[in-house]
Amino acid sequence: MRAAPLLVASDLDRTLIYSAAALDLAVPDAEAPRLLCVETYERKPLSYLTETAAALLAELAARTTFVPTTTRTRAQYGRIHLPGPAPEFAICANGGQLLVRGEPDPDWRRTVDERIAAHCAPLAEIRAHLVRTADPAWLRKERVAEDLFAYLVVERPLLPDTWVKDLTGWAAERGWTVSLQGRKIYAVPQPLTKSAAVVEVARRTGATGILAAGDSLLDADLLLAADRGWRPGHGELAAAGWSAPHVTALDERGVAAGEEIVRAFLRGAASPDRAVGDDGLG
């Protein structure tokens, strides 16, 4: 009898794939790993992983139910071409869009919209507050993603720490979460989570267990929902010292962390019965 698949859900940006600015290569140029470009934008290379990570990821995708799990919109996700077979499932918009063989699942989106409407202030109110309180001196762009959440692109060195703190408190009173990732500030409804969509994929596939990885506050719920998780030595969670008993905090940073995360996934896939607990993985 064929065993049910192990589900591997991973954040993408600054977890598996990295922009040139986020590579954080900690070795001399002559020893730098060879990189594979997996995303272009406006005819320019944008995101990379190591060639070693690419080969390991292709192997992982062949052995597990690999589910890219991202805050990116569908259009932004569509620019990425990961090695290995095209995933049957992908999660975009922080859990707001569940793609099945590349197509959005309308029933899932309807469920998400109902949960948000029942528990959160309207998106229009949140967006208006963001635009009204942001300073043009550091605001570069403001965007709405999939009619689900809003985000700002900012000049990080000019951004006052108190502004983010004040926004976080204001948003929480209205059922929203704030996350600062690089140059982007996200305002996301609290019911809009990656974990909810991953649990739905696990239900549909009959997965025996869930492995996960992520670097930001918006990945915390995903890591907590997994049987075993990993976070890199950089990012929002690392800066906050965030931890959980079943989540390994890696020392590696940048693209080296991405490679180590795929290695850890493969070790977990090789021993799914050891996916839970302190087994030395990662």
Side-chain angles (χ1 to χ4, degrees):
M1 181 176 179
R2 184 179 178 183
L6 183 70
L7 192 154
V8 176
S10 183
D11 175 52
L12 296 179
D13 294 281
R14 292 172 59 86
T15 297
L16 286 189
I17 67 174
Y18 292 81
S19 68
L23 290 173
D24 198 7
L25 297 173
V27 296
D29 290 346
E31 300 175 18
R34 290 170 59 92
L35 301 175
L36 175 68
C37 178
V38 293
E39 179 188 16
T40 60
Y41 181 56
E42 296 181 344
R43 302 184 181 181
K44 297 179 181 178
L46 188 60
S47 297
Y48 306 84
L49 42 64
T50 69
E51 287 189 348
T52 298
L56 295 173
L57 186 59
E59 181 182 351
L60 179 73
R63 293 172 55 183
T64 69
T65 299
F66 174 65
V67 183
T69 307
T70 179
T71 304
R72 286 180 176 230
T73 64
R74 286 172 293 167
Q76 292 167 338
Y77 169 70
R79 300 197 302 253
I80 300 172
H81 299 282
L82 296 172
E88 181 179 3
F89 298 96
I91 294 165
C92 297
N94 210 64
Q97 295 285 6
L98 175 57
L99 306 186
V100 183
R101 291 179 288 277
E103 296 298 322
D105 184 313
D107 291 335
W108 177 251
R109 176 57 191 263
R110 190 176 306 110
T111 297
V112 169
D113 287 341
E114 290 172 354
R115 291 174 180 172
I116 293 173
H119 299 285
C120 305
L123 172 61
E125 178 184 343
I126 306 302
R127 182 184 185 187
H129 181 82
L130 289 174
V131 174
R132 183 173 63 253
T133 59
D135 188 336
W138 46 258
L139 177 62
R140 293 295 170 262
K141 300 176 184 177
E142 69 91 12
R143 295 286 188 270
V144 168
E146 304 271 8
D147 291 323
L148 287 166
F149 61 90
Y151 66 93
L152 306 179
V153 180
V154 303
E155 290 292 343
R156 184 71 177 267
L158 301 179
L159 178 67
D161 291 338
T162 55
W163 191 87
V164 177
K165 182 179 179 179
D166 292 344
L167 175 64
T168 300
W170 180 90
E173 294 174 354
R174 289 157 179 80
W176 288 66
T177 297
V178 173
S179 175
L180 175 60
Q181 302 178 37
R183 298 191 308 125
K184 292 182 179 179
I185 301 170
Y186 292 91
V188 177
Q190 291 175 0
L192 183 65
T193 63
K194 295 179 178 181
S195 61
V198 167
V199 168
E200 174 64 14
V201 175
R203 184 190 67 80
R204 296 186 187 191
T205 61
T208 56
I210 299 173
L211 306 181
D215 71 295
S216 80
L217 177 64
L218 296 178
D219 296 311
D221 69 280
L222 172 63
L223 293 171
L224 290 173
D227 297 300
R228 188 71 195 264
W230 292 264
R231 68 161 174 83
H234 62 259
E236 201 175 18
L237 295 178
W242 185 91
S243 65
H246 64 289
V247 177
T248 298
L250 299 175
D251 293 327
E252 290 86 352
R253 299 170 56 89
V255 72
E259 184 174 310
E260 180 56 29
I261 285 168
V262 184
R263 291 184 191 278
F265 281 153
L266 274 170
R267 292 195 290 269
S271 303
D273 57 316
R274 298 170 62 238
V276 181
D278 186 10
D279 57 12
L281 297 181

